Amino acid sequence: LGTTLPEQAVLVSVPSRRKPLAILAVLGTAAALGWAMGSVWQADRLTAQAQEAFADGDVPGARERLEAARRLAPLWPNPTLLLAQLERGQSPRRGVELQEDAAALNPYRPASWRDLAHMRAALGDKNGAEHAITDGRKYIPWLK
């Protein structure tokens, strides 16, 4: 970035009538970014609370918190990954669906594809398990 700067300092003169609009634009952008990061932060907190609830044996509470985290940050894969693991024991087919969603959200995580393959194999879907590894190799060539 420094190489694009002029060698001599040049002042930029913004006309007075445009300054309030510029300030509003900067504040609006900052508010939007802050809201987006706040949603991810709250989803992270709910995910941690869900892990604690699950460790304490409160499966419905953990599920509720993870679903809330998914609604707050739908593009963040961690709540979906944890919910897939939670559902793996309760409802294996739902667990596979969630694991597929999580792998699509972050296809560069090798464990997501391996877990998906294991979950499909546990349901007796040998072809689906092989297909999961094949799909994962599109993103991670060394995946086994």
Side-chain angles (χ1 to χ4, degrees), residues 7-21:
E7 291 182 20
Q8 297 179 0
V10 178
L11 295 176
V12 176
S13 178
V14 178
S16 295
R17 67 183 187 282
R18 292 189 184 171
K19 287 180 183 177
L21 292 175

Side-chain angles (χ1 to χ4, degrees), residues 35-47 49-50 60-81 83 87 94 98 101 105:
W35 179 82
M37 292 309 299
S39 295
V40 172
W41 177 74
Q42 182 62 27
D44 190 30
R45 291 185 67 215
L46 285 168
T47 302
Q49 291 171 3
R63 184 179 289 118
E64 182 180 312
R65 287 177 179 92
L66 289 171
E67 288 291 354
R70 290 181 70 210
R71 284 190 301 274
L72 279 171
L75 298 178
W76 190 52
N78 291 358
T80 306
L81 284 167
L83 190 57
E87 293 292 343
R94 172 84 171 125
L98 289 165
D101 292 346
L105 288 171

